[in-house]
Amino acid sequence: MKKILIYDGTFDGFLTTVFQVFEEQLKDVEIVKPKHYQPNIFIEAETIITDSKKAKRVWKALQVKVTKSGAHKLYASFLSEIKGVENALLRYIVYAYCSESFIHTDYSNKDVLRVAQVSKMVFRERHRMEAFVRFQLTKDGIYFANIEPDFNVLPLLLKHFKSRYADQRWMIYDKKRGYGMYYDLNVVQYIDLELTDAFDGSKKGLEKVFTSEEFQFQSLWKNYFDSTNIKSRKNMKLHKRHVPTRYWKYLSEKQPEL
Amino acid sequence: MSFERIKEKLNILADAAKYDVSCSSSGSKRSNPNKQLGDSSGMGICHSYTEDGRCVSLLKILLTNYCIFDCAYCVTRKSNDIKRAAFKIEEVVDLTINFYRRNYIEGLFLSSGIFKSADYTMERLVAVAKKLRLEEGFNGYIHLKSIPGASDELMREAGLYADRLSVNIEIPTKSGLKLLAPDKKREDFIKPMIKVKNEIIQYKEEKRLIKSTPKYAPAGQSTQMIIGATGESDKDIMYASNYFYKSFNLKRVYYSGYVPISYDTRLPQIGSAVPMLRENRLYQTDWLLRFYGFDIREILNDYHPNLDVDIDPKLSWALRNLDVFPIDVNKADKRWLARIPGVGLKSVNKIIGARRFRKLNWEHLKAIGIAYNRAKYFITCDSRDFERRDLTAEQIKNFILKQSMSKYKGVYNNQLSLFN
Ligand code: SF4
C-alpha cells in the first residue's frame, strides 16, 4: 500500500526518512516537503521527525555503499531542490542496497543517471558561484556578496571560500532563500537574517554601507574588463553562454559606469 | 594611491597584454595552510568572460609597454606610435591584492615590454612576485613571463615565487622569426625554457628526498604561437608545438590567431579576419595529441599538411581511416573508444563504467551523451540496428555536415567544447 512521508525539507530530515523506509521495509512511498503535500484520504501519510542520529547512520552507510563521491552527488542532487528529486534519490539508495556491487556508475539505470545529471547541474552552479561571487568591502571591514543561485548551493561553497579568504572577514548572502554564511576569521556560521536595501545592490544608500575605496576598485575592475576585449573577435552568443544574463546583476564588470 | 592615474595606466597596460591568450590558473597545488590570503590548489576558475568569449581569470597586464625591440607582430614594438606607461611594483601588488580579495581574479599574469635589458626587466617581474608572496602572504596564482635572454640566476628565482612561467615563441618557423623580428634570436627564447625545465626536474627530485623543499613553478611552463602571421602551414605549427611539448615538458601551448595591428607589408593587413576557426582546429589537434592518444603524424603529414576547416581533426582522421571502423563499443578498449568521432573522453569513461553492468544499446549510449548523429557511422553496439550501407568517406562527411550545419554555424568556441 502506498504511503506518503512528509519531512521537514532538510537533508537530515531526508536521511531520517530513508532510515524509516528501510526499517519498516516500505515498498511504495512518496517523500514530500510539507509545502508540496496534498492531503488525500485514500493514501496514508506520516510526518517524519528529523533525527540526526539516524541521519548520521544512513549517511555513514552511504559513503561505503556508493563511495564518498557517490554520496556527495546524492547530497548535491538533494540541494537542487527540484520537486520530487527525493524520490529519485530514494530509489537510487534502495537500488544500491539491493545490489552486491557498486552501482554508482551504472548509467543505464535511470535513477543513477538522473543523480549524475542533476548533481552535474548543481556542481556547475556551484562552480559558477565560486567564479561570480563579487565581494564588496563594507565600512565594518566585511567583504560582502549577494547571490541568487537557482539551486541551494551555499553549503557547497563553504570550503572553497574558507580556505581562500582565510585572513579576511566575509559574508555570502543567498537573497532568494534568506540566509547567509559568515566567516569571522575563525569559523563559518550560517545566519538567517533580513538585510536592509542598502545591501541590495539597488544602488540606493550603498555609500552608507560600503567604503568609498570600494567603488573605486569596482570601477578599476570594470575598466580592466572593458580593456581586455579584442573587438575583432567579439562573439556575444558565446559570451552569454559562459556568463548567463541572469547572473549579470551582481557582476560589477557588467554594471553601467557609476 | 591616485585612482585616476592608476586607471589610465591600467587601460594602457591591460590593453597591451590582451593578445596573450593564456588564462590558465590551474595546476599549481598551492594551498593556504597558515590562514593567509588565497589558495590555488583547485581547478582554476574563470571569473568572467570577455565579450569575445575568452576566460578572464587573471589580472593580465604588462609592467610597462616601453620596449627596446621592434617585433613587427607586436603592438608594443618600439616604432609603434602609442601611449606608453609603466606601473610601479607596489601598484601592481596593490591591484592584485585588492582584486583578489573581491573575488575578481585567481591571481596575476605579469608580462612586460623589454626596457633597458632583459635582466633589468626580469628582475622587476620577479620583485613583484616576491613581494606578493613574502610580504603579502599571497597564495593566489602568479604567472610570470620569462623575458627572452634573462639570466639563469633570475630564472631560478622567478620559479620560486611564480606558479607558471612562459616564453612566447610567437612565430612557429625560424624563417618567419627572421623576417618579423630580426633582432631576436631563437636561442634567447629557448635558454630560459631550458633553465626552468631543469630547475623543475631538480626541485622535484629534491622534494622526494627533503619534504620541505620549496615549490618551483608548480604549474609548469607554457608558450604561445601566433597563427596566420607568416603563411606557415598547420603542420609547421603543430610539429613545432609537438617539439616544445616534448623537449621542454611544457604544460600548454597556446595558439593565438593573429589580430592585425599594423600596416607593415610583411603582415596580414588591418581589417583582415582573425583566423578563429583555424585556431580552434589547432586546439582540437593539440587536445587529440595530449589526451586522446593520437600521434602527430596521424593527423598532419606531407600528404595532409593542413587541417580541414569544415570538420574537426578527429572526424577527419576517422574518415581517412575507415578501415578500422566500425568499433564495437561493448568490447573496444579505452584507446579505441577515444578515437570514435562524437565520443568525448567523458563519454568514454561513462561507457566503460556502464558496460560492466550490461551490454549497451543505442538508448544507453544516447543517455550517456554521445553525439549520436556523428558516432553512428563508426560504431556497433548491442542492437541489430547499425549502419549497413557501404558509405564512402565523402558521403559520411556530407551526412554529418548536413546534420550539424545549423547547430554549429557561427559558433567557434576556442574553449573547446566542440568534439561532441
Ligand atoms: S620584445 Fe616583446 S614586447 Fe618588445 S616588441 Fe618584441 S614582442 Fe613586443
Side-chain angles (χ1 to χ4, degrees):
Chain A
M1 214 178 60
K2 185 166 170 165
K3 195 168 177 185
I4 292 181
L5 301 177
I6 307 164
Y7 80 112
D8 62 2
T10 64
F11 191 55
D12 272 359
F14 169 70
L15 293 176
T16 310
T17 312
V18 173
F19 188 92
Q20 184 131 343
V21 169
F22 276 84
E23 198 176 51
E24 296 177 13
Q25 306 209 350
L26 302 174
K27 289 275 163 339
D28 188 8
V29 289
E30 193 186 340
I31 305 180
V32 296
K33 293 192 186 77
K35 66 174 176 193
H36 294 141
Y37 174 57
Q38 298 199 325
N40 178 331
I41 48 165
F42 299 107
I43 304 176
E44 191 192 342
E46 182 184 342
T47 300
I48 305 293
I49 312 291
T50 301
D51 177 336
S52 61
K53 269 196 205 125
K54 287 179 183 169
K56 213 175 238 157
R57 271 174 65 188
V58 175
W59 183 239
K60 266 206 172 138
L62 274 175
Q63 316 254 335
V64 178
K65 200 68 204 172
V66 301
T67 75
K68 274 207 164 124
S69 95
H72 193 53
K73 278 187 190 161
L74 282 174
Y75 178 49
S77 305
F78 177 82
L79 293 177
S80 74
E81 300 176 333
I82 291 173
K83 198 177 162 196
V85 74
E86 299 93 341
N87 298 297
L89 298 181
L90 176 65
R91 284 194 301 271
Y92 175 118
I93 294 170
V94 171
Y95 177 44
Y97 274 91
C98 296
S99 315
E100 293 287 300
S101 57
F102 285 129
I103 54 86
H104 62 285
T105 58
D106 181 7
Y107 299 110
S108 52
N109 174 288
K110 87 176 186 325
D111 296 311
V112 176
L113 189 65
R114 178 90 180 125
V115 167
Q117 287 163 340
V118 172
S119 62
K120 196 172 149 196
M121 291 185 329
V122 174
F123 288 138
R124 183 169 67 199
E125 189 167 49
R126 171 187 65 180
H127 193 67
R128 279 187 166 146
M129 287 301 133
E130 287 173 1
F132 297 157
V133 158
R134 293 288 180 267
F135 287 119
Q136 297 176 276
L137 184 57
T138 67
K139 288 187 173 157
D140 320 332
I142 296 170
Y143 286 85
F144 175 85
N146 271 315
I147 58 173
E148 275 180 76
D150 298 342
F151 308 125
N152 183 19
V153 293
L154 201 51
L156 298 176
L157 297 176
L158 193 152
K159 229 173 107 197
H160 174 83
F161 282 97
K162 191 176 169 203
S163 64
R164 173 165 296 216
Y165 297 111
D167 76 338
Q168 72 191 42
R169 293 192 293 150
W170 53 261
M171 171 157 175
I172 304 173
Y173 182 70
D174 183 337
K175 254 184 78 183
K176 208 167 174 177
R177 295 168 185 81
Y179 79 111
M181 204 158 66
Y182 174 62
Y183 172 70
D184 62 1
L185 299 180
N186 269 313
V187 288
V188 178
Q189 288 165 326
Y190 291 106
I191 25 189
D192 288 299
L193 80 171
E194 288 278 320
L195 289 171
T196 65
D197 284 354
F199 285 92
D200 193 1
S202 62
K203 300 283 182 306
K204 256 178 273 149
L206 281 179
E207 58 300 331
K208 271 192 232 138
V209 179
F210 299 105
T211 61
S212 61
E213 223 189 51
E214 176 54 41
F215 302 107
Q216 291 178 307
F217 277 113
Q218 284 178 24
S219 130
L220 281 179
W221 169 244
K222 182 170 185 324
N223 243 50
Y224 172 72
F225 178 78
D226 291 340
S227 58
T228 55
N229 273 324
I230 300 180
K231 294 221 171 50
S232 49
R233 300 181 61 121
K234 185 162 171 157
N235 182 346
M236 282 310 274
K237 203 163 145 193
L238 183 60
H239 174 69
K240 283 185 191 157
R241 197 165 72 208
H242 287 311
V243 192
T245 9
R246 66 178 183 285
Y247 298 118
W248 286 18
K249 195 150 107 193
Y250 297 117
L251 296 176
S252 38
E253 64 270 27
K254 285 294 180 195
Q255 305 312 314
E257 200 51 68
L258 297 173
Chain B
M1 84 185 179
S2 147
F3 276 93
E4 279 318 306
R5 183 70 196 112
I6 296 285
K7 199 184 243 180
E8 199 186 333
K9 287 189 192 181
L10 187 58
N11 284 351
I12 296 171
L13 295 169
D15 193 79
K18 71 186 176 192
Y19 299 97
D20 203 308
V21 294
S22 163
C23 78
S24 165
S25 55
S26 58
S28 142
K29 304 200 185 71
R30 191 183 295 277
S31 61
N32 182 2
N34 302 320
K35 278 204 165 190
Q36 295 174 314
L37 175 63
D39 185 309
S40 20
S41 58
M43 295 208 300
I45 297 175
C46 294
H47 285 272
S48 194
Y49 290 83
T50 61
E51 289 185 352
D52 49 84
R54 288 169 308 132
C55 165
V56 178
S57 80
L58 301 171
L59 170 61
K60 192 191 293 183
I61 48 176
L62 301 190
L63 189 59
T64 175
N65 66 341
Y66 288 103
C67 189
I68 53 174
F69 284 91
D70 203 33
C71 311
Y73 47 80
C74 176
V75 267
T76 301
R77 67 188 182 279
K78 177 174 67 181
S79 63
N80 201 16
D81 181 20
I82 48 166
K83 272 198 193 159
R84 308 272 167 177
F87 273 126
K88 294 194 188 106
I89 289 170
E90 311 79 72
E91 289 171 340
V92 177
V93 169
D94 213 36
L95 268 180
T96 307
I97 295 290
N98 274 293
F99 280 8
Y100 194 88
R101 287 199 183 283
R102 287 167 175 76
N103 205 42
Y104 298 164
I105 53 171
E106 292 294 284
L108 173 68
F109 179 172
L110 189 61
S111 177
S112 184
I114 303 178
F115 51 107
K116 289 195 188 162
S117 69
D119 272 355
Y120 187 86
T121 310
M122 194 69 219
E123 213 177 289
R124 259 142 206 84
L125 299 186
V126 173
V128 171
K130 188 171 178 177
K131 195 167 159 78
L132 278 168
R133 294 281 189 237
L134 301 187
E135 286 174 34
E136 304 287 333
F138 179 70
N139 293 301
Y141 192 89
I142 301 179
H143 178 162
L144 291 186
K145 193 48 73 69
S146 317
I147 301 298
S151 72
D152 282 0
E153 191 38 48
L154 278 169
M155 290 321 300
R156 198 192 57 80
E157 213 191 339
L160 291 176
Y161 307 117
D163 294 294
R164 167 164 288 182
L165 292 160
S166 68
V167 192
N168 287 357
I169 289 302
E170 303 292 16
I171 303 299
T173 60
K174 260 197 183 141
S175 55
L177 187 66
K178 206 165 169 191
L179 179 71
L180 297 176
D183 326 333
K184 275 194 172 169
K185 288 196 259 20
R186 192 121 200 189
E187 302 78 72
D188 287 345
F189 293 93
I190 299 209
K191 199 177 129 227
M193 271 197 207
I194 298 176
K195 177 67 186 168
V196 172
K197 174 193 158 189
N198 292 339
E199 290 288 328
I200 290 177
I201 295 172
Q202 196 189 330
Y203 270 85
K204 268 198 189 135
E205 254 156 39
E206 273 170 32
K207 186 128 199 145
R208 219 168 288 146
L209 300 173
I210 310 162
K211 253 200 123 204
S212 62
T213 305
K215 286 190 161 74
Y216 184 90
Q221 294 199 83
S222 63
T223 191
Q224 163 173 307
M225 281 187 270
I226 297 177
I227 305 313
T230 58
E232 70 293 325
S233 70
D234 291 340
K235 178 174 166 249
D236 290 335
I237 296 166
M238 291 314 302
Y239 277 60
S241 165
N242 199 44
Y243 167 77
F244 287 116
Y245 273 122
K246 296 235 156 89
S247 315
F248 308 108
N249 306 339
L250 294 193
K251 280 273 159 60
R252 280 297 295 274
V253 174
Y254 293 91
Y255 310 92
S256 170
Y258 176 71
V259 178
I261 40 99
S262 134
Y263 290 103
D264 191 318
T265 50
R266 291 169 292 177
L267 286 162
Q269 292 305 289
I270 287 186
S272 34
V274 181
M276 283 159 69
L277 183 54
R278 182 176 181 205
E279 186 186 289
N280 190 30
R281 296 283 179 243
L282 291 167
Y283 275 112
Q284 291 176 323
T285 307
D286 185 283
W287 236 243
L288 291 180
L289 299 179
R290 288 192 299 142
F291 304 119
Y292 285 72
F294 280 84
D295 184 292
I296 180 72
R297 287 162 299 186
E298 294 179 282
I299 300 175
L300 289 162
N301 48 53
D302 286 338
Y303 299 104
H304 196 75
N306 285 303
L307 299 167
D308 287 321
V309 178
D310 50 355
I311 53 174
D312 70 70
K314 190 178 176 190
L315 178 57
S316 173
W317 173 84
L319 291 175
R320 275 180 276 127
N321 293 278
L322 280 180
D323 51 312
V324 306
F325 296 101
I327 285 172
D328 182 346
V329 288
N330 286 306
K331 292 213 185 83
D333 75 11
K334 199 170 173 164
R335 277 191 359 253
W336 283 103
L337 291 176
R339 288 182 171 238
I340 304 167
V343 177
L345 286 189
K346 279 194 191 134
S347 298
V348 169
N349 288 328
K350 280 198 175 142
I351 288 171
I352 290 173
R355 75 184 181 185
R356 287 199 310 230
F357 297 93
R358 61 181 60 77
K359 285 199 162 170
L360 307 179
N361 60 32
W362 291 116
E363 290 316 308
H364 298 136
L365 291 172
K366 281 185 198 165
I368 277 170
I370 71 160
Y372 170 75
N373 283 323
R374 183 167 284 245
K376 67 179 175 190
Y377 303 100
F378 302 97
I379 48 183
T380 57
C381 59
D382 190 30
S383 159
R384 287 212 250 162
D385 191 10
F386 58 90
E387 184 59 64
R388 286 166 206 278
R389 290 171 292 177
D390 199 10
L391 297 172
T392 65
E394 197 57 29
Q395 285 170 315
I396 295 176
K397 178 170 156 179
N398 284 335
F399 284 137
I400 291 177
L401 279 180
K402 227 185 249 158
Q403 277 283 348
S404 56
M405 213 36 151
S406 48
K407 214 164 129 202
Y408 288 109
K409 209 156 62 183
V411 185
Y412 305 142
N413 179 357
N414 62 8
Q415 301 288 330
L416 293 162
S417 53
L418 264 181
F419 275 121
N420 298 315

